[in-house]
């Protein structure tokens, strides 16, 4: 029994820290720490910095430009970058499509697309969910019909994050209507500039545009953009979910958000003393800190098991559930910490270049929005209800 | 025991409900809530005309209501339609003016919809502590001048008059302030749940005294008790809407070939949510019934109700969004706006922890001396 | 809107209080308050006192010796007797069988059995649950086959509270195997002294005997002991559940238990001050008090609706769920209040006549047992899971 | 990072598990737990023979373990079998003796199973406050005499020696006490979770000094830290049994024609229970890993783990009973005994609220000065 990282791993941690100290722009870290909105350029800037260092694709093998890191290294990198308030790597190309292409893509697809993911030529988005296919993803209807050396795609995708920034989309499409729904799905790469594609914004409860609906009308996609075999797309889509994900609990992001919460709770006053010392608020903070410490160790256990070749499918579900619950509780406590100042909503204050004075404490503006926005954590990426189903079947065998 | 409204009050409720249903649709509401003004003088006048403002006050000051259940009945309806107009400020300022005595003309104007008065008591540092007032008074040749800050006052820009508290003579005093007076500045802003609020900055602003020097704390408490009754009933109205919308969604949204309302895990959570809403309604009933009672009973029931609403409100808002999935987070669906308002009610006049601590303190010693 | 009782009802409350002051033996009230065990004689004594006053059967009409009280009066009586720490009326004869006989029994059954319930000649127990039929009560198997002017009963009942005290049992038995399970059930009254009946104790986790298994082997029951029609027993059994139950939330009992908890929390010390003033414990107490106050009003609302002729089936389920949760939370907090002294278990100290000195505070002995024993509240009488099903169907219509 | 036991420790775990499985069945356990003695000297000797006591102590005092994970590994197995023998007292007394220095012979006897020593520190008024010691010391011609009371000491009747704390010289001192000495009386009683405990009443009882006068608080803290590690691992062992038993029941018990484990509402609750148990296991790992660390780290992790076990333990015990229904409340089923023990672990050495407050206090100031 030994809960510590090896000296080599600790040395790697120092290397990551040095890199972050030198290369992470203070402007970006400041925006992330205070929950300001990142622009497309902000995200691209961080992408380029990581690419320049060779640390962008940390779940790819070295031969395709990845880092070839161990799971422990990837975990350390995730935690350290998050704790330093680096922007999150936009996941669709690097984290999601990349591994699928490396495992299932054709040589030509790999040669063409992987470098473009790394150098930022392509901004990918994800075409999985549909209005009628959310938790029940396999019921998706967006259809691709083979027509010569093209597929003709008709249908709709939704909840497409950053679809309005993307020039490429990877889609699950239906290529067969008979049989089990899972067996008629294919994995298709589509250029967003193809005629017949329309992207419509979905405005979220903060009045902002982050996700989209994508409509396909007779969109012609070269057959060469099919990944793997026709009707095997479900396997590829699931691969990502069963692939070891060291960061699903979002430990680093939660640690950073908890630090920020502590900062706020110490700055806020209640009855003339720091809110962090109020018995009730202190108890809320302590419960959260203990939950977070416990989850950190649970995450390491899953990591160690994965390192020994155990595919931690259902354990990932536990990490997803508890990780998102903790993250939501952090944003909820941050909201509570503000008292009456959770109410004012100066949307412009969340963007760079805002010149106005803050209303109430300087950290107040993004807090309530962040709380509401983070309700998505337990919904998207496999809702926590779906995760409980996975636990029921895979761990509990009920 | 009788859990029905009187015939007269039921008429008012029906009329108000009908008005809001016909003329204050969600589209209209968003238009108003997002507008530069953040409220609609036209609807305000029409609602006052219907007697909705008058229902908040007793006959002694020219109203025709003013009981806890009058306030509750009105705010329940306002909650169902997410009305942003300055009812809360009017209720609290009017209650304070009525308690202080005099001001018959201004109260008549308020009830007629001709004057909007809001209540600016809390300060940037006070965090729900009603005794924490730092705004200062100086006697001048003409009267009094106020210096200090007041925090997050709903619809302060809509006000013709602002009722302001200040520290004086070892206690708290109240003053009426015109908005256009020198030394008054307002930093207005949108609120995350719609409508607008603002910070009030006073730098030697001329004001008129209301009531006796240093003796307004009891008046402030009474105004907050009325405000709490209003908020808990507004929350009950909102929770009923959220429950109905979620049930409707569970019945119609299909996944895996069946309505998701057929999934037992969601059913049992929904049963818990329904049960908690009924508990919250009972808490609101208790607070309304106790508004006319003695201070300790009134304050304990108000604190209990606001605590309950804070706890249950968070559960209902979060569960309603979660059971809707992604669609529950969209601007387009009214649901998200109800959830935002319900959550923010938990930040007004006292949050869950504050109300629990107050409930406890009110239970100690004679007449809750420590609270 | 008016949450108060009428002056007449308040006068009735005074009448009840005077009666309790004069007639409730201090010895019994003391045992109930401190959660000591009641003997059979204790329960019979209180039964007789109530009968003498004519207040025993408060849900029966006057013509059969009941009180003819309004729902509000019954509620007031329930609350006042519980607050005064009177023993609970053993419910099987008075509360359960009586109303069924009055509505569905033959004239002969009513003439014979109802007076015997009142005067204590019969001690009834309930034969509903079976080892394979708990939440799914309709699947019961205990069979009664008509043989001339008798039924021959074979099978088993379980969880029979006070079966070892009873001389009579009312049973749901299967008289038809075909068709819907609910349609082949009959309601039978059985003398416990009939040959072929065996009562075996079930020992609960406190090591004590309160419930039983009852086995039936070729037990011959006169056909005249069938209540109502053959195969209609499910209707009679359900009648009790849909019948207005003013006391399902157990308000009075919870109020009394909460008072006792406050007494203990004020007497216990933490860091030299009363435990009731510890911020965390005070918060637990306050939450509970608020829950209880809220439920009290919910109960009055249900009462008022029932008084207007609305059968509050599903509302009863809400009261059952929240009522038992609150009661369990009270016993849990009482257990917490004791700190280390929750552990010693002097079983004899729970019985009358114990002469030993208490271990720790005098109130400590029954507390942990009471906590564990009260886990039954959310299981028996229709588990809280079953109640949520009722709410799902009857209120939510899902 | 390595979450596996060392080969040697795994051998001990396997051996202990096998012994308990074969020789300490639930029937045997009940017989012992309900007996007049409340423990079995025979099993105690056999387990000591196997090295189970020695595993709790370091080589410096004649043991061959003593690390947090040694203690955890042993108590996890003891939990799975609901062992009632005086392991906790032995661990805490032995840890304190080892820290105090000397006492090599007595420690050897303990490890060999020839002497049972328990630790009597808490008092009727102290409620988990380790600094609250009122037992007094008087110097006599022969040495020292103790007067005071010690509360709820597990298996005190089984002890040959009792390690007792007393207030002296502005601090706390430790003393060793023979049971048969004049001035010592023990009020023994059964515990609700099996086995026996007792109250110790001292009226001028002769005792031998252990360690330096007034400086034992640090030793007491270290003994309690070890005790907490033991209890949280015992709880983890119990929770695994409760989970397995409940899953088994959900798979086999049928209602409405299907195994009740097919009901989604129960499935999702079971998933939550499983998830919480893994969190509790992580907390126990953290506490074991930190047992050898500096005081602040050790105490914070111990408090966090005991808090977690208190919270999760209540959930697991209550849910296991609830999902079993009536049968879960019967004496016959082992389940109810596991639930009782798990609940009572929450009452030993510090409850949920105490541990949370301690965790908070340890976070303030340098080295948790206020805790």
């Amino acid at each position: 029994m030994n809960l510590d990282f090896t000296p080599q791993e600790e040395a790697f941690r120092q290397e990551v820290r040095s890199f972050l100290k030198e290369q992470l722009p203070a402007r970006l870290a400041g925006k992330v720490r205070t929950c300001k909105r990142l622009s497309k350029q902000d995200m691209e800037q961080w992408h380029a910095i990581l690419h320049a260092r060779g640390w962008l694709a940390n779940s790819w093998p070295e031969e395709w430009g990845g880092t070839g890191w161990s799971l422990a290294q990837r975990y350390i990198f995730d935690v350290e970058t998050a704790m330093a308030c680096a922007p999150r790597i936009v996941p669709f190309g690097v984290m999601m499509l990349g591994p699928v292409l490396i495992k299932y893509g054709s040589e030509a697809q790999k040669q063409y697309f992987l470098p473009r993911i790394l150098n930022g030529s392509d901004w990918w988005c994800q075409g999985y969910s549909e209005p009628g296919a959310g938790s029940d993803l396999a019921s998706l209807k967006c259809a691709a019909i083979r027509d010569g050396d093209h597929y003709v795609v008709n249908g709709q995708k939704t909840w497409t994050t950053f679809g309005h920034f993307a020039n490429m989309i990877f889609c699950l499409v239906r290529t067969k209507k008979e049989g089990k729904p899972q067996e008629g799905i294919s994995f298709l790469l589509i250029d967003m500039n193809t005629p017949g594609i329309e992207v419509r914004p979905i405005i979220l409860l903060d009045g902002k545009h982050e996700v989209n609906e994508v409509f396909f009308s007779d969109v012609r996609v070269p057959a060469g953009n099919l990944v793997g075999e026709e009707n095997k797309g479900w396997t590829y889509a699931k691969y990502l979910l069963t692939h070891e994900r060291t960061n699903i609990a979002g430990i680093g992001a939660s640690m950073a958000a908890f630090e920020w919460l502590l900062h706020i709770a110490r700055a806020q006053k209640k009855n003339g003393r720091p809110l962090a010392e109020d018995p009730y608020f202190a108890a809320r903070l302590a419960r959260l800190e203990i939950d977070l410490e416990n989850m950190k160790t649970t995450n390491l256990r899953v990591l160690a098991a994965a390192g020994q070749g155990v595919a931690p499918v259902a354990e990932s579900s536990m990490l997803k559930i508890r990780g998102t619950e903790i993250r939501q509780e952090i944003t909820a406590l941050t909201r509570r910490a503000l008292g009456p100042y959770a109410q004012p909503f100066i949307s412009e204050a969340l963007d760079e270049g805002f010149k106005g004075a803050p209303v109430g404490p300087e950290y107040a503006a993004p807090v309530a929005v962040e709380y509401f926005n983070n309700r998505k954590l337990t919904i998207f990426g496999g809702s926590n209800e779906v995760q409980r189903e996975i636990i029921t079947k895979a761990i509990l065998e009920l | 025991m009788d859990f029905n409204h009187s015939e007269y009050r039921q008429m008012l409720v029906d009329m108000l409900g009908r008005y809001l249903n016909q003329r204050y649709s969600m589209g209209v509401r968003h238009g108003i809530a997002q507008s530069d003004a953040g409220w609609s003088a036209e609807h305000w006048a029409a609602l006052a005309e219907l007697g909705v403002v008058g229902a908040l006050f007793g006959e002694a000051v020219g109203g025709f209501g003013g009981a806890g259940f009058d306030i509750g009945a009105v705010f329940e309806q306002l909650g169902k339609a997410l009305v942003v107009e300055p009812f809360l400020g009017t209720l609290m300022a009017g209650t304070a003016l009525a308690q202080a005595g005099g001001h018959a003309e201004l109260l008549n104007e308020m009830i007629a919809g001709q004057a909007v008065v809001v209540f600016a008591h809390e300060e940037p540092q006070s965090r729900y502590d009603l005794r924490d007032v730092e705004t200062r008074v100086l006697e001048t040749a003409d009267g009094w001048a106020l210096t200090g800050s007041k925090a997050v006052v709903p619809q302060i820009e809509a006000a013709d008059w602002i009722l302001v508290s200040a520290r004086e003579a070892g206690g708290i005093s109240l003053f009426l302030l015109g908005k256009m007076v020198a030394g008054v500045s307002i930093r207005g802003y949108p609120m995350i749940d719609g409508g607008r609020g603002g910070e009030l900055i006073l730098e030697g602003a001329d004001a008129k005294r209301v009531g006796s020097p240093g003796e307004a704390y009891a008046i402030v408490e009474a105004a907050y008790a009325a405000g709490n009754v209003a908020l808990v009933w507004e929350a009950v109205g909102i929770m009923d809407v959220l429950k109905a919308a979620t049930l409707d969604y569970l019945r119609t949204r299909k996944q895996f070939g069946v309505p998701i309302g057929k999934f037992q895990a969601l059913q049992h959570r929904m049963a818990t949510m329904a049960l908690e809403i009924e508990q919250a309604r009972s808490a609101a009933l208790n607070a309304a019934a106790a508004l006319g009672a003695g201070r300790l009973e009134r304050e304990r029931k108000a604190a209990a109700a606001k605590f309950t609403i804070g706890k249950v409100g968070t559960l209902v808002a979060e569960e309603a969004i979660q059971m809707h999935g992604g669609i529950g987070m969209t601007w387009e669906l009214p649901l998200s706006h109800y959830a935002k308002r319900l959550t923010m009610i938990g930040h007004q006049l006292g949050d869950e922890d504050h109300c629990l601590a107050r409930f406890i303190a009110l239970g100690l010693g004679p007449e809750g001396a420590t609270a």
Side-chain angles (χ1 to χ4, degrees), chain A, chain B:
Chain A
M1 284 282 184
N2 179 5
L3 276 59
D4 300 325
F5 287 96
T6 65
Q8 293 80 353
E9 287 160 349
E10 288 299 340
F12 172 75
R13 187 195 300 278
Q14 291 311 320
E15 198 185 341
V16 174
R17 284 188 183 168
S18 304
F19 161 73
L20 289 166
K21 203 170 161 191
E22 288 160 22
Q23 299 285 320
L24 172 61
R27 190 185 62 84
L28 288 186
K31 287 175 87 164
V32 170
R33 178 173 297 109
T34 56
C35 299
K36 301 288 166 62
R37 293 192 190 103
L38 294 180
S39 67
K40 189 184 179 202
Q41 289 70 31
D42 291 335
M43 296 185 259
E44 285 173 339
Q45 185 187 357
W46 181 236
H47 185 105
I49 292 169
L50 286 175
H51 179 46
R53 182 66 176 85
W55 283 1
L56 179 62
N58 62 55
S59 61
W60 299 11
E62 285 178 89
E63 65 169 308
W64 291 108
T67 56
W69 284 341
S70 69
L71 290 174
Q73 283 178 298
R74 285 160 57 185
Y75 174 83
I76 290 169
F77 181 79
D78 287 338
V79 168
E80 293 299 327
T81 47
M83 285 288 287
C85 297
R88 208 170 63 106
I89 298 170
V90 178
F92 307 106
V94 178
M95 311 292 195
M96 302 173 86
L97 180 62
V100 168
L101 284 183
I102 289 167
K103 187 163 172 86
Y104 298 106
S106 69
E107 196 60 22
Q109 287 168 342
K110 288 190 255 198
Q111 295 286 358
Y112 180 76
F113 287 116
L114 293 177
R116 293 174 59 86
I117 290 174
L118 294 178
N119 67 26
S121 301
D122 289 331
W123 184 302
W124 285 90
C125 64
Q126 182 187 34
Y128 275 23
S129 294
E130 299 181 8
S135 293
D136 181 15
L137 185 58
S139 72
L140 61 87
K141 290 199 170 66
C142 183
I145 294 173
R146 184 70 178 248
D147 178 26
D149 56 359
H150 281 76
Y151 285 96
V152 181
V153 179
N154 278 286
Q156 182 191 346
K157 292 292 174 183
T158 194
W159 308 124
T160 313
T161 304
F162 299 145
H164 52 307
F165 294 159
N167 67 316
M168 292 296 296
I169 183 169
F170 56 93
C171 282
L172 294 180
V173 291
R174 181 152 305 284
T175 40
K176 196 175 75 173
K177 288 188 177 169
E178 310 78 41
K180 285 179 67 177
Q182 288 84 348
E183 288 165 6
I185 292 170
S186 298
F187 196 107
L188 214 51
L189 312 175
I190 306 178
D191 187 328
M192 297 284 278
N193 295 314
T194 321
I197 296 183
E198 189 193 348
V199 179
R200 287 187 209 156
I202 298 174
I203 304 303
L204 292 184
L205 39 61
D206 56 357
K208 282 291 161 180
H209 176 197
E210 183 178 309
V211 291
N212 302 271
E213 296 179 293
V214 184
F215 294 85
F216 299 86
S217 309
D218 292 330
V219 174
R220 295 187 66 83
V221 180
N225 280 12
L226 177 76
V227 174
E229 294 178 49
E230 198 175 276
N231 297 328
K232 291 278 166 72
W234 189 252
T235 307
Y236 316 147
K238 266 181 56 183
Y239 168 67
L240 263 178
L241 300 172
T242 55
H243 198 243
E244 307 101 0
R245 286 182 295 175
T246 53
N247 197 25
I248 193 167
I251 296 279
S254 282
M255 285 167 67
F258 185 74
E259 284 299 317
W260 188 239
L261 164 59
L262 278 183
H263 168 75
I264 291 176
R266 286 173 183 143
Q268 289 288 111
K269 293 281 186 292
K270 180 171 173 181
N271 301 325
R273 289 175 52 211
L275 178 65
E277 295 173 20
D278 170 70
Y280 299 158
F281 208 85
R284 290 183 188 273
L285 288 172
R287 284 201 186 91
L288 193 49
E289 186 178 351
I290 291 170
D291 274 347
L292 185 52
E293 284 297 319
N294 292 345
M295 186 178 62
K296 229 191 272 182
T297 299
T298 308
N299 203 355
L300 295 182
R301 289 164 52 203
V302 173
L303 211 62
Q308 294 182 338
V310 184
V313 184
E315 285 76 9
S316 285
S317 294
M318 287 193 175
L319 292 176
K320 163 72 163 62
I321 292 173
R322 185 43 53 97
T324 51
E325 285 174 351
I326 287 177
R327 186 67 188 279
Q328 288 185 336
E329 181 63 10
I330 294 171
T331 55
L333 279 200
T334 314
R335 168 176 69 69
R336 283 177 193 273
L338 291 191
Y341 280 111
Q343 301 170 82
F345 179 46
I346 323 289
S347 185
E348 315 85 74
L350 274 59
D351 293 318
E352 205 166 359
F354 174 69
K355 297 280 185 273
V359 168
E362 73 214 335
Y363 43 70
V367 168
V369 169
E370 183 75 2
Y371 162 77
F372 286 116
N373 193 268
N374 271 346
R375 302 314 307 165
K376 73 185 173 197
L377 295 174
T378 48
I379 296 172
F380 293 168
S383 73
N384 281 16
E385 288 78 17
V386 169
Q387 305 300 335
R388 282 197 161 76
E389 291 293 306
I390 294 172
I391 293 173
T392 297
K393 273 153 196 93
I395 302 189
L396 305 181
E397 298 172 21
L398 287 177
Chain B
M1 251 175 347
D2 180 4
F3 289 91
N4 299 306
H5 285 309
S6 65
E7 204 178 326
Y8 177 75
R9 197 184 287 141
Q10 190 60 50
M11 264 178 56
L12 176 78
V13 166
D14 294 344
M15 196 175 57
L16 173 55
R18 211 157 40 234
Y19 177 95
L20 295 171
N21 200 31
Q22 289 168 0
R23 299 199 43 203
Y24 205 92
S25 68
M26 197 45 58
V28 171
R29 185 268 180 188
H30 283 341
I32 297 169
Q34 303 298 113
S35 68
D36 288 346
W39 71 300
S40 159
E42 183 197 335
H43 283 290
W44 180 253
L47 288 167
E49 173 84 10
L50 285 181
V52 180
V53 180
L56 305 178
F57 302 108
E59 289 180 21
V61 295
F64 32 88
F69 289 112
D70 295 309
I71 296 167
V74 165
F75 275 84
E76 186 179 12
Q77 296 302 316
L78 298 177
K80 282 182 195 292
L82 290 183
V83 170
V84 296
E85 277 64 27
F87 282 96
L88 182 67
T90 297
L91 168 69
M92 293 175 70
T95 301
L97 288 171
Q99 292 248 339
H103 305 283
E105 200 182 333
L106 182 54
L107 278 160
N108 276 332
E109 284 177 33
M110 290 169 74
I111 288 168
Q114 289 153 2
V116 172
V117 187
V118 299
F119 190 32
H121 173 62
E122 292 178 62
E123 303 188 352
Q125 82 291 343
S126 64
R127 197 188 174 92
Y128 313 128
D129 178 357
L130 302 191
R131 293 187 193 276
D132 184 352
V133 173
E134 294 184 358
T135 298
R136 300 281 155 185
V137 195
L138 261 185
E139 192 160 359
T140 64
D142 310 329
W144 293 272
L146 304 182
T147 297
S149 304
K150 296 291 173 177
V152 200
V153 186
Q155 298 295 11
I156 189 169
E157 298 162 309
D160 300 295
W161 295 92
I162 307 167
L163 186 65
V164 176
S165 58
R167 177 152 301 282
E168 186 193 42
I172 295 168
S173 307
L174 294 178
F175 297 87
L176 257 184
L177 194 75
K179 237 178 17 181
M180 297 308 173
V181 176
V184 172
S185 56
I186 291 172
R187 164 97 191 267
Y189 40 73
M191 304 280 254
I192 194 158
D193 48 353
R196 290 178 66 83
E199 307 290 294
L200 174 65
I201 298 104
L202 302 169
E203 295 166 302
D206 285 349
K208 290 192 277 190
R209 179 178 293 284
V210 173
S212 311
E215 294 181 1
Y217 179 73
I219 297 175
V220 170
E221 258 193 350
Y224 268 73
N228 272 320
V229 168
L231 285 180
V232 298
W233 279 99
E234 184 183 350
V236 166
I238 291 173
M239 291 195 284
D240 280 340
V241 172
L242 285 170
K243 183 177 97 169
T246 305
L247 279 173
D248 195 46
Y249 189 75
L250 291 180
R251 287 188 195 110
T252 50
R253 167 72 171 174
K254 286 190 180 179
Q255 292 280 273
F256 306 101
V258 292
I260 59 174
K262 291 294 171 201
F263 289 104
Q264 197 193 31
L266 295 187
Q267 290 175 343
H268 283 208
R269 281 160 61 183
M270 200 63 213
T272 299
M273 179 167 145
L275 190 161
E276 293 288 351
I277 292 174
E278 293 315 312
Q279 289 290 88
R281 194 187 319 278
S282 290
L285 284 162
N286 290 344
L291 188 61
R295 179 206 173 232
L296 186 60
E297 168 79 357
R298 180 193 74 195
E299 292 297 311
R300 263 176 79 88
K301 290 287 159 65
K306 194 64 175 35
F307 165 79
T308 302
I309 290 295
K311 188 183 61 153
V312 178
T314 302
L315 173 86
V316 172
E318 293 184 349
E319 282 285 72
I321 291 175
Q322 182 69 24
M323 293 199 212
H324 272 79
I327 198 87
M329 293 194 56
T330 60
W331 183 274
E332 193 188 348
L333 215 65
L335 183 105
S336 68
H337 302 279
Y338 284 95
K340 283 190 287 184
R341 176 67 196 133
L342 183 57
T343 305
M344 285 303 131
I345 286 176
H347 285 263
Q348 281 184 279
L349 310 191
D351 65 9
E352 208 181 312
D353 287 356
H354 170 84
C355 293
L356 192 67
R358 187 162 166 79
F359 180 82
I360 293 168
L362 287 162
L364 299 174
E367 286 284 308
T370 61

